[in-house]
Amino acid sequence: GAGVSQTPSNKVTEKGKYVELRCDPISGHTALYWYRQSLGQGPEFLIYFQGTGAADDSGLPNDRFFAVRPEGSVSTLKIQRTERGDSAVYLCASSLSGRATDTQYFGPGTRLTVL
Amino acid sequence: DAKTTQPPSMDCAEGRAANLPCNHSTISGNEYVYWYRQIHSQGPQYIIHGLKNNETNEMASLIITEDRKSSTLILPHATLRDTAVYYCIVRVTSSSGANSKLTFGKGITLSVRP
């Protein structure tokens, strides 16, 4: 079956611009996660959705970062006034429910480069 | 979640067993040990998890010491496609879904040589 998909696969933008990154989770998965991975580091948690609501947004680095999941399926991560330090691979994962024992399935990521 | 310690890298010969160690000396009784791997330019992939008993699936085996302070992931017959970064993660489980995020360290880079 289809896995988690993310678009675009690569995004190059200029400092100060606004970007949107999209995640399509596995059909039927109610939990959705965003992570960010800098070069040479492990993924770092950003935000977790259970259905339409953000159950844990403790990983968002500042108020330039915002994510939505209006219909409980597709999610969009939005970054305002991008900075060079935002350059990273943004990973999305989904799981069947929000239980901690559920396996998280990851997408291929979106590589964001801020010039 | 408890912290894990892994060596930065190791290698093994193709066809041989790869034994990847992980220390988690501060693990609590309600924390599971999870292993994920990340092949270059891909998202992390779930491998296996366990609480205190040894576990085996089609990908690997997980051996957890009796005191639960360390574990070893075993790939019984490593192939070139197993070259990846392997992450050992300790994770609190709760029915409410709290703490469902994964906390990754730097992982161990396994290089399988021909």
Side-chain angles (χ1 to χ4, degrees):
Chain A
V4 177
S5 61
Q6 294 185 245
T7 53
S9 55
N10 281 284
K11 175 70 177 177
V12 180
T13 191
E14 294 180 342
K15 180 175 178 295
K17 299 290 188 182
Y18 168 82
V19 296
E20 289 190 351
L21 311 178
R22 176 187 168 108
C23 172
D24 279 87
I26 293 172
S27 178
H29 280 193
T30 64
L32 185 145
Y33 307 80
W34 283 99
Y35 294 82
R36 176 170 72 171
Q37 187 170 24
S38 300
L39 194 63
Q41 305 295 317
E44 176 187 24
F45 169 78
L46 295 176
I47 187 169
Y48 152 54
F49 285 91
Q50 180 57 251
T52 60
D56 181 356
D57 65 358
S58 62
L60 294 178
N62 52 60
D63 61 6
R64 296 187 297 106
F65 288 74
F66 189 70
V68 296
R69 194 185 184 202
E71 297 179 358
S73 178
V74 170
S75 177
T76 304
L77 179 66
K78 308 181 180 191
I79 310 174
Q80 299 177 319
R81 305 182 303 280
T82 52
E83 300 178 356
R84 292 195 180 88
D86 299 335
S87 296
V89 175
Y90 289 80
L91 294 161
C92 177
S94 71
S95 65
L96 188 60
S97 75
R99 289 183 306 176
T101 51
D102 285 347
T103 297
Q104 292 186 24
Y105 297 90
F106 283 79
T110 294
R111 181 174 298 278
L112 175 66
T113 303
V114 181
L115 301 177
Chain B
D1 292 339
K3 182 178 171 60
T4 63
T5 305
Q6 300 176 258
S9 63
M10 67 176 290
D11 63 13
C12 76
E14 190 177 19
R16 304 298 293 269
N19 298 297
L20 286 69
C22 181
N23 286 322
H24 29 80
S25 59
T26 60
I27 194 170
S28 300
N30 64 344
E31 290 180 316
Y32 281 69
V33 179
Y34 278 74
W35 283 83
Y36 277 74
R37 75 178 182 184
Q38 188 171 24
I39 295 170
H40 184 61
S41 297
Q42 297 183 21
Q45 176 191 24
Y46 167 81
I47 301 173
I48 199 167
H49 75 279
L51 183 62
K52 48 186 168 183
N53 296 324
N54 298 336
E55 302 288 343
T56 295
N57 63 21
E58 65 279 4
M59 291 183 69
S61 294
L62 174 61
I63 308 299
I64 302 174
T65 58
E66 193 168 341
D67 64 7
R68 301 187 69 237
K69 293 186 177 182
S70 65
S71 60
T72 302
L73 180 75
I74 301 172
L75 307 179
H77 305 287
T79 71
L80 298 179
R81 288 175 294 181
D82 292 322
T83 292
V85 178
Y86 287 77
Y87 297 99
C88 171
I89 299 167
V90 170
R91 193 177 180 202
V92 171
T93 61
S94 65
S95 58
S96 68
N99 299 309
S100 57
K101 65 187 178 188
L102 295 170
T103 302
F104 292 83
K106 290 190 176 182
I108 177 172
T109 300
L110 173 67
S111 300
V112 181
R113 61 180 188 275

